[in-house]
């Protein structure tokens, strides 16, 4: 393992611990991957984040093979398939935050109740239909829900955020949980106002130079 790979592995460990620290995940259910050279680096299966170190991160080839003795996350398929299908994506975050998952349990998409939804690429956040975890079917459904988007919900499961960098993917995950929380509270208050597709599409364009988008482009 050279220095660059160790730094990349350390970044994955830090990211998955950040999910716990920010309350987006608990236990061993979240997983993180990052594109590295001709493969991806992904969190292992069933290892608590407190015990996870750089040597536990699994190098996974795009054909699904990995070194003996290391077991990648059970959700490696959609991590691999997203990175294979979307060359602009550099990292994928999957977690089960409370409010995202609550809407996923109901199979509900998130409409344009706040202009920040534009950060996700369009006027809604889709919810992929249910499929068992770790399956090729779930991966296909997730890819469809992510068309022209960088986040989605997974019915009766959780959420996915995909970004150009690990920092961006984590930022998107936090923003999605925040939006779902706001929407959940608004539904208790009354009937949230939904912004038009025209308004959101204009905001998508303005967001191309906003926040981490500007950082990513130097």
């Amino acid at each position: 393992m050279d220095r660059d790979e160790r730094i990349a592995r350390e970044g994955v460990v830090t990211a998955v611990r950040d999910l716990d620290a920010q309350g987006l995940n608990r236990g061993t259910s979240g997983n993180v991957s990052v594109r590295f050279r001709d493969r991806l680096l992904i969190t292992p299966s069933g290892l608590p984040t407190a015990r996870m170190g750089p040597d536990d991160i699994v190098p996974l080839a795009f054909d699904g093979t990995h070194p003996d003795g290391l077991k990648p996350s059970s959700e490696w398929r959609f991590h691999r398939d997203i990175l294979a299908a979307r060359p602009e994506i550099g990292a994928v975050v999957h977690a089960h935050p409370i409010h995202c998952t609550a809407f996923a349990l109901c199979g509900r998409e998130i409409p344009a109740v706040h202009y920040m939804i534009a950060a996700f690429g369009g006027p809604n956040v889709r919810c992929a239909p249910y499929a068992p975890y770790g399956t090729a079917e779930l991966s296909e459904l997730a890819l469809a829900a992510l068309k022209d988007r960088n986040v989605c919900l997974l019915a009766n499961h959780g959420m996915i955020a995909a970004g150009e960098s690990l920092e961006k993917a984590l930022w998107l995950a936090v923003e999605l949980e925040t939006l779902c929380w706001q929407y959940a509270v608004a539904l208790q208050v009354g009937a949230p106002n939904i912004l038009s597709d025209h308004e959101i599409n204009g905001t998508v364009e303005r967001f191309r130079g906003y926040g981490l988008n500007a950082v990513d482009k130097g």
Side-chain angles (χ1 to χ4, degrees), residues 73-202:
S73 165
S74 59
E75 301 292 11
W76 67 266
R77 287 183 185 276
F78 67 61
H79 285 265
R80 186 272 310 271
D81 292 349
I82 292 168
L83 290 169
R86 301 275 297 271
E88 80 279 14
I89 296 299
V92 177
V93 169
H94 168 59
H96 303 166
I98 296 296
H99 297 87
C100 289
T101 304
F103 283 105
L105 295 178
C106 298
R108 292 180 61 170
E109 72 170 31
I110 309 302
V113 290
H114 194 290
Y115 69 81
M116 279 300 294
I117 203 167
F120 309 135
N124 66 339
V125 174
R126 303 184 188 99
C127 183
Y130 178 76
Y133 75 89
T135 61
E137 180 185 5
L138 177 60
S139 182
E140 291 172 5
L141 292 169
L143 280 173
L146 285 167
K147 180 177 172 58
D148 302 320
R149 302 287 189 274
N150 47 32
V151 302
C152 72
L153 303 180
L154 304 174
N156 302 92
H157 189 158
M159 55 74 69
I160 296 173
E164 295 94 332
S165 65
L166 196 46
E167 182 184 19
K168 180 67 176 291
L170 285 168
W171 180 76
L172 289 167
V174 172
E175 290 296 330
L176 179 57
E177 173 62 2
T178 300
L179 181 60
C180 288
W181 191 349
Q182 293 165 339
Y183 185 34
V185 173
L187 288 170
Q188 297 175 57
V189 173
N193 180 51
I194 308 299
L195 298 171
S196 69
D197 287 1
H198 175 75
E199 173 62 31
I200 296 303
N201 289 336

